[in-house]
Amino acid sequence: MRINCEILDLRAFQNVVELESFHRAAEALNMSQPALTRRIQKLEASIGAPLLERTTRHVAPTAMGQELMPLVRRMLEEFDGSLFALKDTGSQHRGLITMACLPTAAFYFLPKVVRRFNEEFPHIRFRILDLTANDGLRAVARGEVEFGINLMGNSDPDLDFEPLIDDPFVLAMRKDHELSRYAELTWSHLEGHRLIVVDRSSGNRTLLDASLAKEKLKLNWFYEVTHLNTSLGLVEAGLGISVLPRLATPQDDHPFLITRPIIDPIVTRTIGIVQRRNGRLSPAAERFLSMLIRTWKF
């Protein structure tokens, strides 16, 4: 399906949503309200669905409008960035890179590459959405971001995955915990200890449960949390031990915490780049991904 719309149609929609008013949006765009209304109607006709709910006191996006808004915002920012780059008579590259990234990857290995990239291209900006695996995949599929850094395991036929690094699951515990005397552990070592895990909405938990089920193993947890950082906080407080990806654990020497590899079996998640199949990247994103792959490819 081909959608015919103009940049000003998109700006009209964005302003109405952000200002929550046709009157204020018309003033911001320096156009009459009837002209603004026609822009919105034209965009809705092109999309084939209402994008705004109107009452005498309130304007809000419909469900379709809420889904469209992040994509519109990204398209307008990239368009404005391209115009700015054309006006730039210097040799510096300009642009905006939008990506979705697992929080652990965003915290531990992404900054190193971003820093190197900014040294070479200091005028290229980044919008990094640190999202869960499932939310990150949806952001890529909807076009809200150019690409994602996510877990292998996606079955969406419209998305491609390129592996970057393997990240094994390890056991995190306090240095004074009785299991810390072992150089490596088996899953049976965890029995009888209060175990902290992330809940089933997490891609990490799904991967871990599936891998252990193949070996007829199951985690008998005592604490279940939503975020990996929460599990580390409970471990540090001496409330239990936690199985989590190595990248989610302190990478430097920690005053209280220590990690140990778990074997029989070794469970590993693969982190890589997710893109829309046949999708086009901005020149800035292509340069960044090239550097990312050179730095972190297996």
Side-chain angles (χ1 to χ4, degrees):
M1 179 180 67
R2 182 176 179 181
I3 298 177
N4 294 312
C5 63
E6 301 176 18
I7 288 294
L8 195 52
D9 301 337
L10 301 179
R11 291 199 193 281
F13 172 66
Q14 180 186 35
N15 275 266
V16 171
V17 172
E18 292 182 346
L19 298 176
E20 299 180 340
S21 165
F22 272 77
H23 176 70
R24 289 194 293 270
E27 286 186 340
L29 293 170
N30 195 27
M31 65 170 62
S32 67
Q33 277 192 237
L36 177 67
T37 299
R38 287 193 294 272
R39 290 283 180 183
I40 297 295
Q41 291 172 340
K42 178 183 172 185
L43 182 60
E44 289 178 327
S46 181
I47 296 295
L51 300 176
L52 297 169
E53 294 176 338
R54 309 165 178 83
T55 67
T56 55
R57 296 184 177 181
H58 187 63
V59 179
T62 62
M64 177 64 74
Q66 291 175 349
E67 186 173 342
L68 183 65
M69 188 60 190
L71 179 59
V72 168
R73 186 178 288 115
R74 177 194 151 199
M75 291 171 63
L76 290 175
E77 287 187 343
E78 290 183 354
F79 177 76
D80 291 341
S82 298
L83 287 182
F84 191 77
L86 289 174
K87 293 178 181 179
D88 185 13
T89 58
S91 60
Q92 297 288 356
H93 296 286
R94 297 181 183 272
L96 171 68
I97 297 172
T98 59
M99 73 176 82
C101 187
L102 293 170
T104 49
F107 187 80
Y108 287 110
F109 81 81
L110 189 62
K112 175 181 178 180
V113 186
V114 171
R115 181 168 54 249
R116 284 185 54 203
F117 187 83
N118 280 156
E119 290 172 356
E120 188 171 347
F121 304 101
H123 298 290
I124 293 180
R125 297 175 298 138
F126 283 81
R127 171 174 287 118
I128 302 170
L129 307 183
D130 49 335
L131 300 173
T132 63
N134 293 331
D135 288 343
L137 289 175
R138 282 191 286 268
V140 176
R142 292 172 180 171
E144 297 170 11
V145 294
E146 293 188 82
F147 62 90
I149 299 176
N150 213 303
L151 303 180
M152 178 181 282
N154 166 58
S155 58
D156 191 326
D158 296 324
L159 298 179
D160 287 328
F161 183 90
E162 182 173 0
L164 278 177
I165 60 172
D166 282 334
D167 185 22
F169 284 83
V170 298
L171 185 70
M173 70 196 100
R174 284 182 59 95
K175 291 181 177 179
D176 56 4
H177 194 277
E178 63 181 275
L179 292 180
S180 65
R181 68 179 185 270
Y182 296 98
E184 60 183 18
L185 302 163
T186 65
W187 297 95
S188 62
H189 279 109
L190 278 53
E191 295 177 5
H193 298 279
R194 291 193 170 185
L195 186 62
I196 306 160
V197 298
V198 290
D199 63 33
R200 296 181 185 277
S201 65
S202 165
N204 291 309
R205 174 69 179 278
T206 301
L207 188 157
L208 188 58
D209 283 351
S211 298
L212 293 180
K214 294 178 182 178
E215 306 293 329
K216 296 182 171 52
L217 296 171
K218 182 181 179 181
L219 294 179
N220 296 311
W221 54 269
F222 192 89
Y223 299 102
E224 188 175 68
V225 300
T226 303
H227 302 290
L228 293 173
N229 283 341
T230 304
S231 68
L232 281 177
L234 295 179
V235 172
E236 187 170 340
L239 294 174
I241 56 178
S242 182
V243 176
L244 65 175
R246 186 171 58 191
L247 276 181
T249 64
Q251 303 301 292
D252 300 320
D253 186 41
H254 192 278
F256 306 112
L257 302 182
I258 197 169
T259 63
R260 292 289 184 263
I262 311 174
I263 62 172
D264 297 332
I266 296 174
V267 180
T268 297
R269 65 176 189 170
T270 299
I271 296 176
I273 300 165
V274 180
Q275 295 177 249
R276 292 184 301 281
R277 185 160 294 172
N278 301 320
R280 296 182 61 185
L281 296 174
S282 65
E286 288 181 348
R287 288 193 292 267
F288 178 75
L289 284 185
S290 177
M291 181 177 289
L292 184 67
I293 292 169
R294 290 197 309 268
T295 304
W296 287 104
K297 193 74 172 177
F298 289 99

